[in-house]
Amino acid sequence: MNSALITLLFLISSGFLLHNSAASRPSPSKSHGFLFVANQGDHTALVVDPDTRKVINKIGVDINGHEVAVAPSYHLGYVPIYGNSGVGRPGTDGGSIHVVDLREGRDIQIINLGKPVRPHCAKFAPDGMLYISAELANALYVVDPATGKVVGEVPTGAVESHMFVLSPDGHRAYTANVGPGSVSVLDLQKRSVIAVIPVAKTVQRISISTDGRFVFTQDQTAPRIAVIDTATNKLARWIDLPAKVYSSTPTPDGRLLLANAPSGNLFVIDLSTEKVTAEYPIPAAVGEIAVDAASDHAYITCPQKGTIEFLDLRGSKLESPMVLTPGVDGIEWFPAIS
């Protein structure tokens, strides 16, 4: 039996394949799922089973894919090709998005964005459109995944709009503008800038509460997280921390905010009090955080060490990490389908 057939049989038995008939629509699991991970170091995208700590599929992509997005069908994954440098630094300028078949583990399409714009963050909106941060264009591009074409552009009103989040209804986007240290609020229907909110000298990453009321971004000059009120589009307050943090992610149940520190700590913040309630040692990390839909486990990429750290949120303990290769970065959890 060849390796491709073995992989196919495994995915069928694990509930990974989508049912195609209208009578058997996908029924996603809240706790059992997979991780889609970009590895900058070896220029790959990985499909990982966190239960077995095994790489199911490994797909080669261009230099370098930093972030990932999974389509609402959980069938396809998208990897924007940013380039071989960091934000604001000299290097190559990517201008494409790789589309991969998560089930079959192969690259099936390359979306050409028309020019080198360093595409970075990718998010699917409720309307099915794929939004991409086009950093060098100071914009978000709107891509129709059905045609693979850019169908719109939303200016951000700032440079280095590296990461962004969408409101739950898909009407607003919020970008973290790294060098300017600001957050842009965008109207996605009118494709215009609503406000640019000054935050700090420099910021990194951005997240949004599950109810859409607050946006969080990390001050890179002080140990604190900015809390932006989306009703007023103003900086409301700060969450003080023991150390500077790089990225944050709320749990789907809305109770906690997880934040990773480059110094080597993961902080758990109770959003009802906005206080740190737990702290865990992890390798020095400037990676990303993903959480399963049941808020049972969190997964933290540590690019320098080449690991994915596993945090049991219910049991309040770190588990054994998954050791990969240096460069693991963008990560998204997606459910198994039954």
Side-chain angles (χ1 to χ4, degrees), residues 317-334:
K317 63 179 180 180
L318 279 175
E319 299 178 348
S320 299
M322 182 174 182
V323 180
L324 294 165
T325 57
V328 289
D329 194 2
I331 184 170
E332 185 169 329
W333 181 91
F334 64 101

Side-chain angles (χ1 to χ4, degrees), residues 82 86-89 135 138 157-163 175-183 196-205 217-221:
Y82 182 81
V87 58
R89 297 176 183 173
E135 190 175 299
N138 303 333
V159 299
E160 297 182 7
S161 301
H162 199 55
M163 298 288 282
T175 69
N177 310 315
V178 177
S182 63
V183 168
V196 178
I197 306 165
V199 175
K201 185 176 179 180
T202 308
V203 298
Q204 264 293 357
R205 301 311 196 249
T217 191
Q218 288 65 235
D219 187 345
Q220 296 305 282
T221 61

Side-chain angles (χ1 to χ4, degrees), residues 146-198:
T147 63
K149 301 295 185 182
V150 176
V151 295
E153 183 174 334
V154 187
T156 65
V159 299
E160 297 182 7
S161 301
H162 199 55
M163 298 288 282
F164 69 94
V165 290
L166 301 178
S167 61
D169 62 9
H171 293 168
R172 299 283 185 269
Y174 304 85
T175 69
N177 310 315
V178 177
S182 63
V183 168
S184 295
V185 184
L186 311 179
D187 185 323
L188 297 184
Q189 295 175 313
K190 295 180 179 179
R191 296 181 180 173
S192 62
V193 179
I194 296 173
V196 178
I197 306 165

Side-chain angles (χ1 to χ4, degrees), residues 35 37-39 85 101 116 120 249 254 315 317 330:
L35 300 172
V37 185
N39 190 314
S85 63
D101 189 313
H120 191 255
T249 299
K317 63 179 180 180

Side-chain angles (χ1 to χ4, degrees), residues 208-327:
I208 188 169
S209 61
T210 55
D211 59 10
R213 292 179 59 202
F214 300 107
V215 164
F216 310 99
T217 191
Q218 288 65 235
D219 187 345
Q220 296 305 282
T221 61
R224 59 184 186 172
I225 295 175
V227 182
I228 293 169
D229 187 329
T230 59
T232 63
N233 292 327
K234 295 183 182 298
L235 176 61
R237 56 190 175 275
W238 297 95
I239 298 174
D240 293 321
L241 300 171
K244 286 185 289 187
V245 293
Y246 184 76
S247 65
S248 66
T249 299
T251 54
D253 61 15
R255 296 190 311 108
L256 306 174
L257 185 69
L258 310 178
N260 63 340
S263 57
N265 293 94
L266 178 72
F267 299 114
V268 178
I269 300 159
D270 184 332
L271 283 175
S272 67
T273 62
E274 295 185 348
K275 301 294 184 184
V276 175
T277 58
E279 182 177 336
Y280 299 94
I282 60 173
V286 290
E288 302 291 338
I289 305 168
V291 184
D292 65 29
S295 301
D296 286 338
H297 281 84
Y299 309 94
I300 306 95
T301 55
C302 299
Q304 296 86 345
K305 194 74 173 178
T307 64
I308 301 176
E309 303 296 315
F310 287 61
L311 174 62
D312 178 349
L313 290 164
R314 303 296 181 187
S316 300
K317 63 179 180 180
L318 279 175
E319 299 178 348
S320 299
M322 182 174 182
V323 180
L324 294 165
T325 57

